[in-house]
Structures are given as structure tokens and as C-alpha cells.
Amino acid sequence: MKISEIMKQRMIFSFEVFPPKKDQPMDYLLDTLKHLYVFNPDFISCTYGAGGTNAGRNIEVCRAIKKSGRTVPVAHFTCIGNSMENIRKSLQIYLNMGIDHVLALRGDFPKGWKGTMGDFNYANELVAFIRKNFPEFCIAVAGNPEKHFQANSFEEDIAHLRVKQDSGADYIMTQLCHDVDQYEWWVEKIRKAGISLPIDVGIMPALSKDSIIRMTVSNGSSIPRELAEIIARYGDNPEDFKKAGKEYTIKQMYRFIDAGINGLHIYSLNRWKDVSDILNESGIMGFK
Ligand code: FAD
């Protein structure tokens, strides 16, 4: 059954991993996957490097997940530097391997780029292309509860999200957002705008001061006071920060579940030991 179909019946649970660098072996990632399967994820998604870097590795990781038979692989895919012909070929490769779930993204521009330098400028064009040429795919798209950082207004950004729905998207995966009140506000706004897609909420574990600050602000997301206080109190002590950050992450997972989401998606950062600690402590073993 497609992920979007499952989301109509119950809440789903999933992880994101990223591929090893080009010249690195797959062993650590394969080990990470094994440890993540224990938590019964409905899917594991794999990121796609900016500018198509490491695209081959994305396929390799998705193939390993598929081969395991333990869960569904979801391939992130971007428009950056991608011609229509290359997109057609790549999507066919996924399908030939039995991979029929994709997260269709525009992608972030690599340094110095002003556009995608590919045949599609926005994610909605990629969604429409996939829907028309490869109807087998279940298509996820990105949503930004705090507004995409390049959009001039929420209205504009939500209108663009609506176009992705109308182009054939099946569900939304959110950008990291620590602010549950803001998330609920955004959901109300998008529902009013006629967007009815189920929403899979991304949770970024707070494991180290520098990385949580960098990843949050680089997406244009905000740091709520509660997290700011943890940064201020424990920022100089990595061990104490990690302990408080894990507790904060567990609270956040339950706050989002209480807000009535359709899916919980953990950005694992490939840090399976820390993620396992968080999940074991939280008692969440998937929702199957
Ligand atoms: P779009 O939906 O195209 O939106 C981009 C901007 O353009 C927005 O400001 C939007 O309002 C505006 N816009 C959209 N459509 C139009 C239109 N038709 N006309 C005018 N303006 C428009 N990036 C990677 O490179 N690799 C990854 O693996 C990856 N994984 C991600 C996973 C998740 C869950 C999320 C949420 C994001 C991920 N990203 C990844 C980041 C993503 O590529 C960036 O956020 C990127 O800047 C925007 O992608 P998008 O698909 O939301 O773009």
C-alpha cells in the first residue's frame, strides 16, 4: 500500500538518512539502517545532494532499503542541474528497482547559483512531470510551517503549496519547525486555502548546540525560548547539552502527536545510537 494511503488510515512513522560521501564505504550507513528498522518505520527517506552530487549514492541507499524488505524507501529528488531527460532516466531507474515513492523537491541552489540550471524551476513542475509520465509514483512534497525563506509572504508560499497539490502531490513532508503553535496556525491556514494533503512532520533531534542552531536558522526556522534556554544553559558542555536536547526532542515529538499530525518523521542525521536512545526513552516503536 502507498504511504499516502496508509496516512489516511493511521499515523505513520519514518526516518531520514543521508548517503555516505562518494569515496566512503556503505558499511556505516547499512549498519545505521539495521538499527533504524528496529523501530518499525513505515518508510526511510534518503536525501539527494545539492546539484545532483551523490545522486548515485541516493539510488544505492534506496536499493539497499528495498532489498532489506524491512520498509519502504523514499527517494528525495531535486530539479537542481537536472534536465528533463535525465529526470526521466533517473525515475525509470528507481521504478526498475521497485522504488515507487519520491519526495519531489526544487532543491537549494548551490553557492553562486541563481536558479536551478535545469529544465524545471520549481517543485510543482517536477510533480506535474512525474504525475504525467510515471503515474506509479507516490509523490511527497515539502511544506514550510514557518514559510519558505525565499517566499515574500505566507499567502504566496501557501499558494505555491496548493499548486503542488493540484499538480498531483500525495502528501506533505515539513521542513523542521520547533514551534508547535506556529505549526498549528499554518495547518489552519493551508486547510483554509484548500490544501487537504496529509502531513508528515519532520523532527530534528537537538544533539549538539552548533548543529541545531545551524540547521534551524539555515532553513529560516526559529529557535523557541525553551530551546534557546537549553542552548544558553548547556551550550558549553556537549554532554549536558545532548542530555537536555534529547529530553527536549521527546517532549517535541509528543507535542506534535498531540497536535494531531498524520506522520512523525525523524531526521536521523545517521546518528542511530542517539536516535535509538531518544526513541527507547520515549516508548515510540512506530505506529504499525
Ligand atoms: P518549491 O516548492 O519549488 O519552492 C521554492 C520557493 O519558490 C518557495 O519560496 C516557493 O514559495 C516558491 N515557489 C514555488 N513554486 C513557485 C512558482 N510556481 N512560481 C514562483 N515561485 C514559486 N534539498 C536538497 O537539495 N536535497 C534533499 O534531499 C532535501 N531534502 C529535503 C527534505 C525535506 C523534508 C524538506 C522539507 C526539504 C528538503 N530539502 C532538500 C530542501 C529543499 O530542497 C529546499 O527547502 C528548497 O529551497 C525548496 O524546495 P521546495 O521543493 O520546497 O521548492
Side-chain angles (χ1 to χ4, degrees), residues 88-229:
R88 193 189 296 279
K89 274 190 206 148
S90 305
L91 294 173
Q92 191 59 56
I93 291 173
Y94 286 119
L95 276 187
N96 292 347
M97 294 190 310
I99 296 160
D100 57 2
H101 283 71
V102 68
L103 169 58
L105 300 155
R106 182 199 69 185
D108 282 323
F109 303 146
K111 239 188 190 148
W113 291 32
K114 290 210 159 53
T116 63
M117 310 277 274
D119 283 341
F120 298 138
N121 293 316
Y122 297 104
N124 67 279
E125 298 164 41
L126 177 60
V127 173
F129 178 82
I130 301 172
R131 187 48 75 227
K132 179 163 182 262
N133 296 284
F134 299 94
E136 306 91 320
F137 273 105
C138 177
I139 308 171
V141 288
N144 292 272
E146 297 190 65
K147 187 178 80 59
H148 186 262
F149 63 93
Q150 287 172 321
N152 293 318
S153 66
F154 272 99
E155 284 67 28
E156 197 181 292
D157 203 33
I158 289 171
H160 295 142
L161 183 58
R162 172 73 200 254
V163 178
K164 291 198 271 194
Q165 169 176 283
D166 296 347
S167 303
D170 293 302
Y171 68 104
I172 295 168
M173 295 176 66
T174 70
Q175 188 52 271
L176 78 90
C177 167
H178 304 296
D179 184 340
V180 185
D181 291 341
Q182 171 63 27
Y183 168 77
E184 290 183 297
W185 176 87
W186 175 76
V187 173
E188 207 181 309
K189 280 259 179 203
I190 68 167
R191 296 305 185 216
K192 274 193 186 137
I195 298 167
S196 56
L197 296 176
I199 308 171
D200 192 15
V201 169
I203 300 273
M204 180 64 74
L207 298 175
S208 83
K209 178 185 82 167
D210 291 345
S211 67
I212 198 72
I213 294 174
R214 180 172 38 79
M215 288 182 294
T216 303
V217 300
S218 67
N219 288 311
S221 301
S222 58
I223 296 183
R225 206 184 55 82
E226 189 180 347
L227 180 56
E229 215 169 274

Side-chain angles (χ1 to χ4, degrees), residues 60-73:
E60 216 177 321
V61 174
C62 289
R63 184 172 46 204
I65 297 168
K66 179 76 189 170
K67 215 173 132 202
S68 76
R70 299 290 296 272
T71 190
V72 172

